[in-house]
Each structure stands twice: as C-alpha cells, then as structure tokens.
Amino acid sequence: MANSATKARGDYYEGITCYALTHHSAEECGNTPEHPCPVEVIKKTKKPYSVMHILYDNDNTKRHYKVNAYPIFDNDGKLIQVIESLIDVTGEILAKEKIKNLNIELEQKVEERTQQLNEALNKLQNQNDALKNISQSLEISNQNLEKSLEKEKEVSLLKSEFVSMISHEYRTPLTIILTSSELIEKFLKSNELEKMPKLIERIQVSVSDMEKMLEDILLLGKSEKGIINLKNKQVDLIQIINELMNTINVYINGKREIILNNHTNNKTLSIITDAYYLKQIIQNIILNALKYSAIDQPVIIDISSYSESLIKLEIIDFGMGISDKDIDNIFEPFYRNKENIGSIRGHGLGLTIVKKLADALNIQIRVSSELEKGSKFSLFIPLSNQIESPR
Ligand code: ADP
C-alpha cells in the first residue's frame, strides 16, 4: 500500500521500498522505533493512527511530516485499505528548534551573567567585610586608646594623691623631729639634761617610722611595676614561723602572748615559695593583730592543711575588730580606720603590701571580723606556689 503511494513522487521505480526511498533507511518501517509503520500499527489496532516521520525530498532535504493514517473496512469489517495523509510540519519544527536553541543560548547567557553578577557581588561583599573589619578594629583601637588615656589620667591622679598622702604622712614624724630638736636645743641651754633621753627616743621612733614608710613605699612601687624579684625555693613553713616568732618576741619583749597551734601534726611543712616575702606578709598581719588588740589579749596562729595543695594559716586576735563597711577598704593604700584606732601608730600601707605580695606568691586572703570581738586573717598558701582557689 505504502509503495503504491510512493509512485506519486515520480522517482519510483520497481524494486525500491518506501522506507529506502523516503527515510533513506535500510530497515523496514516498524522495525525502527523512530519510524513505526502506520499500516502495520493499524493492521494490529484497527484504529486511526498518527505519527511523526522524517522523510527525504527528491533533492535529499530532510523534512518532518505528520502522518495521519485511517483504516477503510469492507462490509464484513475486514481491513481493505489504509489512507495516509502527510502534513509537512518542517517549518514549524525548525522554528520550534530555533526557539529552543535560542532559549538554550539565552539561558546560557543568563547563567553567565548571573555568575558574573554573583562574582561581582561576592567581590563587593568581601570588600564590604574587609571595610567592616577595618572599621571594627579602628573602633576597638579607638576604645583602647580612650581607655588607656582614662587610665593614664587615673594613674596620674592617683600618683598625685599618693604623693600628697606621703607628704601628709611624713609631716607628723618630721614635726616631732623638729619640735624635739628645738626642745633639745632649749634644754641644752638651760642644762636640763634629764629631759634629753625622752626627746631623743621620740626622734628615733619618728625616724624609724619614716624609714619603715619609705621601705613600704619602695616595695609597693616595685609591686606596682611588677618588678618584685621572687626567689622561690623549698622552705619549711614551720621554721619560717618560728623564725618570725623570734623576731616578734624581741619586739614585744615578752609582754604579749602569741599561741601557735599546728594542726597538721607535721613537725615540718615543706613548701616552695619566696621565704622573705612570705615572712613579710605574715609579720605584717601578726603585728597588726598585736597592735589592734589589748595587751592582755592573746594572738593565735593556727596552721592546718586545707587541701592536698593548700595550707591554711590563720592569725586570730580578740581586739577592736573591723566593721563591715571598713573591711573592703583595709587593703587600700593609706587606709586607716581613724574612728577606732585612736593613737595607734601606722601609716596604712601594711595591708596594701600584704595584698600585693600575696598576689605575687599566689596566696589567697580572707578576712572575717567583728567590732569589739576581734579579727581573723586566713591565708591559703600553696605548697608549690601554684594557683588554686579555696572553695
Ligand atoms: P596600719 O596598721 O599602718 O594603719 P595597715 O594597712 O596594716 O595599716 O592596716 C590598715 C587598717 O586596717 C588599719 O589602720 C586598721 O584600721 C585596720 N586593721 C588592720 N588589721 C587590723 C586588725 N587586726 N584589727 C583591727 N583593725 C585592723
């Protein structure tokens, strides 16, 4: 049937098949999936059938056809003929392909542009981030600058306060020295020599007060600058306390009672620290305990193990005590509770030095006190100058 149709093309000649002529194919239509034979399909289905075929013209140009095939049946319902109509849709298909290609090209271009845009955006974002970082670090350095300027102001204010405090503290012993020497001069002239020793003693006490204050100020200055030179070595804490007791006994001349309780049951307590500065810390606290309590009140020194790495050393007195309001200030330079201490000598630097040295030796200090009842200074001393906080 199909072969008879090809006759119409004029180039038909006997022996050539329709599939060789129209599809340039060696395969019979129906054997290839792209060219199912409409006649064969209708033979099986008995229904009209439409399919797209690629056909070649007389001049061999490839064309697209929509093949519509209709079955013709006789009165008995037997298939006797198939009518095929071919619609050339090449133009439509080529236009669609062109549009498709254009679309692909367009999509590619859009993708390329989007990529270029993203790259430009990323670059901008990076530049923005870098600018942000720069402005942040500028802001931080500005803040730091402001802080250090403020600190500098504070320090110079403190320095001038410190200087005026020192000169104020120096005025009292200097006045005593001056008036005593004037009196000495006067009594020398009037030959009242019996009045001399008292005046000379006053001068000596004032000079030693000034010496002590100078020593304290120098030590404080060193600790402020962080130039305390620690000579850490293995020492025996019990021995240090015994040595201190000997020094203090000379000072109190047997007039005061100091009770030493060693709760560790060890005759020696080996620690690694700077013995010179540790002695200074303990001595300042013991001397205060003696100073700020009555002559008949004892001072107790308790030594116990606080943890595997900390020794607790407590210095307890039953003296005037410190109010809650004052307890936060006692480590401040030149702070003295003038309401309570009356004429007790001192210049308010002892505990400041204690705190600075304790920090350098990793010693924690706790103070508990009650007015009229007494005070307890607890030192937590590391066995090997390692930082560990008490619970
Ligand atoms: P100073 O004893 O030379 O005044 P410190 O720095 O040693 O200076 O002490 C500061 C202040 O803390 C003292 O003036 C006193 O008011 C108070 N203080 C220190 N230790 C005691 C104590 N054991 N009992 C009562 N008050 C104390």
Side-chain angles (χ1 to χ4, degrees):
M1 278 183 277
N3 277 346
S4 62
T6 58
K7 280 181 187 171
R9 290 174 46 143
D11 58 351
Y12 171 80
Y13 54 91
E14 215 47 69
I16 192 163
T17 59
C18 62
Y19 45 86
L21 186 67
T22 56
H23 303 313
H24 288 189
S25 167
E27 294 288 331
E28 210 175 303
C29 291
N31 292 346
T32 52
E34 65 272 18
H35 287 121
C37 175
V39 179
E40 291 303 322
V41 175
I42 287 177
K43 269 190 198 168
K44 278 182 204 148
T45 61
K46 313 267 192 283
K47 282 184 182 152
Y49 177 65
S50 288
V51 68
M52 289 301 296
H53 272 188
I54 291 170
L55 302 176
Y56 290 87
D57 267 354
N58 291 349
D59 56 358
N60 259 352
T61 41
K62 183 181 172 185
R63 301 198 72 82
H64 298 266
Y65 283 91
K66 186 171 184 193
V67 182
N68 296 315
Y70 304 94
I72 308 286
F73 302 99
D74 66 7
N75 289 341
D76 299 328
K78 193 177 156 201
L79 179 72
I80 50 166
Q81 211 172 359
V82 173
I83 297 176
E84 276 185 8
S85 77
L86 279 80
I87 302 165
D88 188 347
V89 290
T90 310
E92 211 176 294
I93 293 233
L94 287 183
K96 267 188 192 164
E97 256 171 31
K98 207 171 178 182
I99 288 171
K100 202 175 158 191
N101 287 341
L102 273 175
N103 264 345
I104 290 170
E105 230 173 83
L106 211 69
E107 266 169 26
Q108 270 172 355
K109 265 191 188 152
V110 168
E111 210 169 295
E112 265 171 38
R113 290 285 142 84
T114 315
Q115 208 174 324
Q116 282 169 359
L117 207 71
N118 280 340
E119 277 167 15
L121 268 177
N122 277 344
K123 231 182 195 170
L124 263 175
Q125 184 73 40
N126 287 345
Q127 282 171 351
N128 221 4
D129 287 349
L131 272 174
K132 246 190 215 165
N133 283 345
I134 292 172
S135 91
Q136 264 171 4
S137 34
L138 266 176
E139 206 172 301
I140 290 170
S141 26
N142 232 358
Q143 282 170 357
N144 286 346
L145 203 72
E146 265 171 38
K147 266 188 211 158
S148 41
L149 272 176
E150 262 169 40
K151 200 134 202 189
E152 180 59 41
K153 266 190 215 161
E154 245 173 61
V155 169
S156 52
L157 200 77
L158 268 179
K159 271 186 195 157
S160 54
E161 263 176 35
F162 202 74
V163 170
S164 66
M165 274 172 172
I166 292 169
S167 46
H168 177 78
E169 293 299 319
Y170 257 72
R171 211 167 291 149
T172 321
L174 275 176
T175 314
I176 295 172
I177 294 169
L178 198 70
T179 49
S180 304
S181 55
E182 279 168 4
L183 282 174
I184 287 174
E185 206 177 15
K186 188 182 150 207
F187 292 137
L188 263 178
K189 277 181 192 161
S190 59
N191 214 10
E192 293 171 86
L193 297 182
E194 73 283 358
K195 290 183 178 160
M196 294 293 177
K198 183 108 188 132
L199 291 170
I200 291 170
E201 194 198 325
R202 264 208 234 164
I203 292 176
Q204 281 169 344
V205 168
S206 298
V207 170
S208 75
D209 268 1
M210 287 173 78
E211 252 175 14
K212 173 84 179 85
M213 187 158 45
L214 204 64
E215 259 174 39
D216 284 354
I217 288 167
L218 285 176
L219 186 57
L220 205 61
K222 271 193 199 171
S223 72
E224 289 287 346
K225 284 187 190 144
I227 50 171
I228 289 183
N229 210 352
L230 292 183
K231 291 189 182 106
N232 287 334
K233 56 180 183 194
Q234 195 137 9
V235 288
D236 176 15
L237 182 61
I238 306 288
Q239 195 190 327
I240 284 182
I241 299 206
N242 284 330
E243 283 170 13
L244 254 179
M245 296 285 274
N246 290 338
T247 317
I248 291 170
N249 276 331
V250 174
Y251 169 79
I252 56 177
N253 202 12
K255 289 180 194 146
R256 300 292 303 264
E257 189 186 5
I258 302 177
I259 304 161
L260 176 62
N261 296 322
N262 180 357
H263 301 285
T264 65
N265 296 327
N266 294 335
K267 286 213 171 77
T268 56
L269 269 180
S270 181
I271 60 170
I272 297 171
T273 192
D274 185 304
Y276 176 77
Y277 290 130
L278 178 63
K279 266 189 193 170
Q280 198 143 356
I281 294 171
I282 303 171
Q283 180 174 305
N284 279 3
I285 298 175
I286 296 178
L287 290 181
N288 274 353
L290 292 165
K291 240 187 351 180
Y292 297 109
S293 59
I295 199 154
D296 56 343
Q297 289 169 328
V299 168
I300 298 173
I301 302 171
D302 268 358
I303 306 171
S304 58
S305 285
Y306 183 76
S307 70
E308 274 186 12
S309 53
L310 289 175
I311 307 259
K312 186 161 78 170
L313 179 84
E314 291 188 311
I315 295 141
I316 305 155
D317 69 65
F318 305 93
M320 62 178 61
I322 309 162
S323 69
D324 288 348
K325 167 173 77 69
D326 289 321
I327 216 152
D328 293 335
N329 299 316
I330 55 173
F331 293 103
E332 296 298 324
F334 299 110
Y335 183 83
R336 304 200 76 207
N337 180 3
K338 299 224 165 77
E339 286 167 27
N340 286 359
I341 55 179
S343 61
I344 300 170
R345 280 187 15 235
H347 47 259
L349 285 178
L351 287 184
T352 313
I353 286 169
V354 163
K355 181 76 179 75
K356 296 277 177 197
L357 293 180
D359 285 348
L361 299 186
N362 292 322
I363 295 173
Q364 305 259 333
I365 307 175
R366 277 188 196 157
V367 187
S368 59
S369 186
E370 209 179 315
L371 277 177
E372 316 292 339
K373 293 256 165 73
S375 312
K376 181 162 80 179
F377 283 72
S378 309
L379 301 180
F380 297 87
I381 305 168
L383 284 176
S384 61
N385 201 0
Q386 297 294 314
I387 297 170
E388 194 198 311
S389 302
R391 285 182 295 273

